[in-house]
Amino acid sequence: MNVHLKRWLAVSGTALVIAAGVVAGGSYWRLESNLQTVDLAKEITHPRPPSTPGRPLNILLVGKDDGRSDTAMVVQLNAAGDQARVVSIPRDTMVPRPRCGASPPVAIAMFNSAFSTGGAACTVATVEQMSGIRIDHFVQIDFNGFRDLIDRLGGIDVTMPEAIDDEKSGLHVPAGPTKLDGTQALAFVRTRYSIGDGSDLNRIKNQQLFMRALSEKMANENWLASPAKTLELADVLTKSIVTDTGIGSIPKLADLAGKLTALKPESIAYVTLPTETYLPDPNRVQPKQPEADALWQAA
């Protein structure tokens, strides 16, 4: 079990800890009762991309901030389980949005509007329509739970590529190595306007940098060696996530972790959906073609 769980760290530290909660024995039912689920099969009514043998396993990770989708990443694990890719989708990307419940389809809308329109199911449907790939599972993580996780870990060490002095996020740190507590870490993944050109693309770079740092922290300090520590983190995170029903239990999450036994940290690539300026509104972007389609097809 520990080997499986350590490999899962490299893909998503949060999902790893949830799966690890199964070792906590007597606390199983408490962790199980914390989980919330969405039945994608019932909520997505339009035709979906096929679930064909041998294709990658695709998991959509969404960060929820103040009731809206703030971060979206598609984790793709190859059929052999030894290579993975994390694709970040800028929230300002203009894409077609399919019908979501009672909401009719629209020809063009900001990507993150899908979550406010129809929650997890609408977001999954929008990703499937824009990419042509099947999304197998969905994990929504509340940013407040993310903050609590970092505090439980004792902070995260990050090397800042540049100083950040951001009044909007409240983050003020120098360039170079620094330790971020939970509140600072949350501000770091939110920061946008005080770095680079102020675009969402620079914020995504911060988020990918932080994901690497989080995985290294948990692996290097061997957090999973202690059942008590594992339970502590799992309790925080299972209160802060929503998953699809396909992985919406502790045994199912543990089984998903077990599929990652061949995956090594150095075998994971972080990429961002290729985009270009959306001409009707220079503050938005659109998928850049043919590069965007090529990215999805290359998995």
Side-chain angles (χ1 to χ4, degrees):
M1 175 65 75
N2 282 343
V3 172
H4 295 177
L5 296 175
K6 288 178 181 177
R7 298 292 168 80
W8 181 227
L9 262 174
V11 177
S12 170
T14 54
L16 164 65
V17 174
I18 296 164
V22 76
V23 307
S27 299
Y28 171 88
W29 293 113
R30 177 158 58 90
L31 296 176
E32 185 86 4
S33 65
N34 287 344
L35 291 169
Q36 300 179 58
T37 62
V38 173
D39 191 339
L40 297 178
K42 289 184 178 179
E43 294 199 22
I44 300 178
T45 57
H46 64 81
R48 303 180 64 188
S51 179
T52 55
R55 66 177 179 81
L57 180 73
N58 298 308
I59 305 169
L60 177 62
L61 303 179
V62 170
K64 180 184 176 184
D65 191 16
D66 296 329
R68 65 182 182 182
S69 168
D70 193 75
T71 301
M73 298 178 177
V74 178
V75 177
Q76 300 183 291
L77 178 72
N78 71 349
D82 60 357
Q83 297 284 329
R85 183 174 70 168
V86 180
V87 182
S88 295
I89 303 173
R91 64 182 182 183
D92 295 344
T93 306
M94 303 300 291
V95 296
R97 193 181 69 217
R99 175 177 294 279
C100 296
S103 299
V106 294
I108 196 78
M110 279 181 56
F111 172 75
N112 73 338
S113 72
F115 189 85
S116 57
T117 299
C122 189
T123 306
V124 168
T126 300
V127 172
E128 291 186 338
Q129 178 171 282
M130 70 184 284
S131 67
I133 67 171
R134 173 85 172 206
I135 297 298
D136 300 287
H137 298 298
F138 172 91
V139 178
Q140 170 192 312
I141 304 171
D142 186 271
F143 271 20
N144 288 327
F146 165 84
R147 178 196 61 206
D148 294 343
L149 167 67
I150 304 309
D151 282 337
R152 295 291 179 97
L153 290 171
I156 299 293
D157 294 311
V158 177
T159 299
M160 295 290 181
E162 61 181 287
I164 297 179
D165 190 18
D166 192 298
E167 293 299 331
K168 289 182 177 293
S169 68
L171 183 62
H172 307 277
V173 292
T178 190
K179 181 183 289 289
L180 303 178
D181 63 19
T183 298
Q184 291 172 315
L186 184 54
F188 181 58
V189 299
R190 284 171 166 167
T191 293
R192 170 176 181 174
Y193 296 103
S194 64
I195 55 174
D197 60 3
S199 72
D200 195 42
L201 300 179
N202 284 286
R203 190 175 64 98
I204 285 174
K205 292 179 182 178
N206 281 359
Q207 293 170 352
Q208 293 175 345
L209 173 66
F210 192 85
M211 286 184 68
R212 291 190 182 97
L214 174 60
S215 294
E216 291 172 1
K217 166 82 174 185
M218 296 184 71
N220 292 342
E221 297 187 3
N222 206 18
W223 271 79
L224 298 180
S226 166
K229 285 185 176 181
T230 298
L231 172 60
E232 185 179 4
L233 299 182
D235 192 41
V236 171
L237 288 167
T238 52
K239 293 175 181 176
S240 305
I241 70 166
V242 178
T243 75
D244 66 281
T245 51
I247 54 171
S249 69
I250 297 301
K252 289 176 180 178
L253 285 169
D255 180 65
L256 177 60
K259 294 177 180 178
L260 304 170
T261 56
L263 184 63
K264 297 180 180 179
E266 59 268 24
S267 299
I268 300 170
Y270 291 88
V271 298
T272 302
L273 180 71
T275 58
E276 61 187 2
T277 301
Y278 177 64
L279 294 180
D281 183 351
N283 293 318
R284 305 287 180 256
V285 296
Q286 64 186 15
K288 183 180 181 181
Q289 300 298 356
E291 290 87 345
D293 285 347
L295 174 72
W296 295 119
Q297 294 166 9

